[in-house]
Amino acid sequence: MNAPERNLNFTSTNRGELARIVLVNEEIKAIVATAFRINLMALNAIFLAKRAGNAALGFGVLSNELRRFAQDLTRHMASLRDMTSGSVGSVTGVVQQQRNSAILAAAIRLSGDGVPGVKDARKRGATRLAEQQAKLRTLDMRLRAAVEETQQLVELGGVLARSAKIEAAYGGGFSPALMQVSTDFAEVIAQIKRSLEVLGKERLVKD
Amino acid sequence: MKQAHCIYQDDTHRWLAIARDPTKPGYIIDTNEYVVVHGEEALLCDPGGIEIFPAVFSALSAECDPTRLAGIFASHQDPDIISSLALWLEFKPDLKCYTSWLWQSFLPHFGGQDSTFITIPDPGMTIRLGGLELQAIPAHYLHSSGNFHLYDPKAKILFSGDVGAALLPSDHNDLYVEDFSRHIRHAEGFHKRWMGSDRAKRDWCERVSRLDIDMMVPQHGAIYRGADVQRFINWFAALEVGVLRG
Ligand SMILES: [Fe+2]
Ligand SMILES: [Fe+2]
């Protein structure tokens, strides 16, 4: 047998890994877009509270807090995104190494184990692959830790939204409008929570 | 089955041709790879593409110790020439790749790092291999804009890359050109279309006519021996190149 081997199963597992990174990235993008929406909503809420005057002092404070929350969330998501783009490099490294190792293994099968240098080459390839996989695992752990941290931040956002709802009840004539704004806040934050749950379940490497 | 054929031997100085692979899938152009062995060192000329690496590696290993590979000579940047670079480096990370300066920053897309490449200036240069002096002969624009052939003055062999290439039917498996006029029909279309510059062609014909050549070994098709070498040069000199059809 001397023809090039067809369908060498180089990358089947790692195609999965690249696809997972894409999923993670999409989820991060969705959260970034939502964080931007919260920021705008908080700005509107601040103006609304100003117009409501004394009746909505508490609501105004909470709107400011929500705005800060949106900014913190955006920062968190930016660092998550950095991590995933770093992991694209690592996954590509793993894919390339696996592919090279598989083709070299096919060459060794054709030539026989007795050919000088092939054992060393195989060992070197295995070491490089292990290094790249370890790098990816570390990145995965960092990503998971970062998602957990963001989840805690969003918990705080949830508390702020609930408090805003309570404050809205004291808004006098502005109460229905403030209530609507705080309900929107709560919904958007619930949406982020769901996205973070999906993110928390994604793994860059299979266990 | 791709096999290494010894086409020249003088003591420890050998040329191996890894040619003809009838088992290779038809959609991949058939290529010849050549190995120059001198003493303890070997140089691989145009190692070929990724797909055929296992076949080339095993054919080479059957005839010479692959750890002795000191370098790779890449006549130009095409995928059928050098896309297997990363795999050869996987086997031997300190391999040197000789290529035109023009491709220095392009070839790393196939593999290797800065220290992998030894660039050849436009006028050519001497490549030393275990005490043997090989000459990188300019063949720019034939077809690649940064292109070199490799001349071994001791063996009197010229490795001519894509020049002299013939796209032979699958049942033509002769290693050497046996009937020039029949053979050259399979080279005509290729040279008319791939070779883009008449001036470069004339320069090359003049340059190689001055060399003492027993064998001209192309990257595709059969090997020209003896009088067929000059026959080819004359044929090429007269050929209209850089044309789409006709
Ligand atoms: Fe070419
Ligand atoms: Fe070619």
Side-chain angles (χ1 to χ4, degrees):
Chain A
M1 216 294 301
N2 214 313
E5 282 195 31
R6 308 277 98 213
N7 304 319
L8 290 174
N9 201 10
F10 303 136
T11 55
S12 55
T13 52
N14 293 96
R15 268 202 200 114
E17 273 156 20
L18 271 177
R20 276 198 285 281
I21 290 180
V22 170
L23 259 177
V24 167
N25 256 330
E26 286 308 306
E27 224 43 77
I28 290 174
K29 269 156 66 184
I31 300 175
V32 169
T34 317
F36 184 70
R37 254 181 76 201
I38 297 183
N39 201 8
L40 285 180
M41 283 163 62
L43 266 176
N44 278 333
I46 291 165
F47 288 129
L48 190 61
K50 275 210 175 123
R51 273 173 48 211
N54 277 346
L57 278 181
F59 190 91
V61 171
L62 285 166
S63 300
N64 270 315
E65 288 301 315
L66 275 163
R67 194 169 171 229
R68 200 163 304 141
F69 158 74
Q71 285 160 349
D72 286 347
L73 186 62
T74 306
R75 259 195 302 280
H76 271 238
M77 299 325 283
S79 73
L80 280 182
R81 203 183 243 181
D82 282 350
M83 272 179 225
T84 52
S85 52
S87 62
V88 171
S90 300
V91 168
T92 309
V94 170
V95 172
Q96 268 174 351
Q97 190 57 50
Q98 281 189 332
R99 182 168 188 258
N100 286 355
S101 297
I103 302 177
L104 191 64
I108 293 170
R109 268 200 302 284
L110 282 178
S111 328
D113 252 337
V115 174
V118 293
K119 281 200 181 94
D120 284 346
R122 204 188 266 150
K123 216 188 285 169
R124 259 196 319 272
T127 309
R128 265 203 297 269
L129 186 61
E131 278 168 7
Q132 257 142 354
Q133 277 169 333
K135 223 197 257 173
L136 198 56
R137 230 167 279 135
T138 311
L139 261 170
D140 191 48
M141 272 161 56
R142 278 180 51 210
L143 185 70
R144 269 191 255 179
V147 169
E148 268 168 38
E149 230 175 85
T150 313
Q151 274 170 328
Q152 282 166 15
L153 177 74
V154 173
E155 279 304 321
L156 177 76
V159 171
L160 289 174
R162 275 196 297 280
S163 306
K165 220 172 196 174
I166 295 166
E167 286 295 330
Y170 302 105
F174 281 92
S175 189
L178 293 176
M179 193 62 86
Q180 183 59 51
V181 170
S182 50
T183 304
D184 289 349
F185 272 136
E187 267 171 23
V188 168
I189 285 169
Q191 201 178 313
I192 295 178
K193 261 187 177 171
R194 280 193 297 275
S195 286
L196 280 172
E197 259 164 46
V198 175
L199 260 187
K201 280 185 199 134
E202 284 302 332
R203 295 285 175 274
L204 296 179
V205 273
K206 275 188 192 150
D207 294 322
Chain B
M1 173 112 170
K2 224 167 167 52
Q3 268 184 330
H5 307 269
C6 184
I7 55 169
Y8 170 87
Q9 176 148 28
D10 179 18
D11 195 17
T12 63
H13 183 188
R14 286 193 298 160
W15 271 75
L16 304 172
I18 301 173
R20 282 322 112 68
D21 185 4
T23 53
K24 162 201 74 51
Y27 59 84
I28 298 176
I29 189 168
D30 198 27
T31 53
N32 304 326
E33 295 73 33
Y34 299 93
V35 190
V36 192
V37 187
H38 192 84
E40 293 295 298
E41 289 190 358
L43 180 79
L44 175 59
C45 303
D46 286 2
I50 295 166
E51 280 284 336
I52 59 153
F53 172 82
V56 176
F57 183 86
S58 70
L60 180 146
S61 303
E63 282 296 321
C64 89
D65 175 351
T67 59
R68 289 191 187 168
L69 268 185
I72 282 173
F73 174 81
S75 62
H76 59 290
Q77 84 294 2
D78 270 351
D80 66 324
I81 301 287
I82 188 67
S83 68
S84 61
L85 179 61
L87 294 160
W88 291 99
L89 290 168
E90 181 79 20
F91 174 71
K92 204 161 183 257
D94 59 348
L95 269 182
K96 297 292 174 207
C97 177
Y98 295 88
T99 195
S100 161
W101 67 272
L102 213 57
W103 307 121
Q104 181 176 23
S105 58
F106 290 68
L107 288 197
H109 284 285
F110 286 143
Q113 47 198 6
D114 201 22
S115 61
T116 306
F117 299 96
I118 297 180
T119 53
I120 310 175
D122 282 340
M125 68 181 229
T126 301
I127 295 173
R128 287 188 177 78
L129 180 75
L132 179 72
E133 292 199 342
L134 299 160
Q135 300 299 329
I137 307 286
H140 307 305
Y141 297 103
L142 301 172
H143 62 92
S144 166
S145 46
N147 201 59
F148 286 98
H149 295 164
L150 191 72
Y151 178 60
D152 178 344
K154 196 163 166 279
K156 298 181 184 171
I157 294 177
L158 176 71
F159 167 62
S160 59
D162 280 333
V163 173
L167 306 177
L168 298 173
S170 55
D171 57 337
H172 282 43
N173 285 314
D174 290 337
L175 185 58
Y176 298 101
V177 173
E178 300 298 349
D179 178 339
F180 184 83
S181 47
R182 264 184 57 202
H183 172 86
I184 210 66
R185 278 186 246 143
H186 302 293
E188 191 174 323
F190 181 87
H191 286 78
K192 277 184 169 171
R193 178 66 203 260
W194 259 268
M195 305 301 158
S197 160
D198 193 62
R199 188 172 145 191
K201 181 200 72 176
R202 277 185 274 117
D203 276 358
W204 180 86
C205 289
E206 227 169 80
R207 194 172 302 122
V208 298
S209 289
R210 289 196 296 268
L211 301 174
D212 187 6
I213 304 170
D214 280 349
M215 252 187 264
M216 189 180 110
V217 299
Q219 194 230 353
H220 309 279
I223 294 172
Y224 302 82
R225 288 183 294 188
D228 281 342
V229 175
Q230 194 55 50
R231 242 175 237 134
F232 174 80
I233 297 169
N234 295 342
W235 170 84
F236 190 35
L239 187 76
E240 188 192 10
V241 298
V243 287
L244 273 178
R245 277 183 199 89

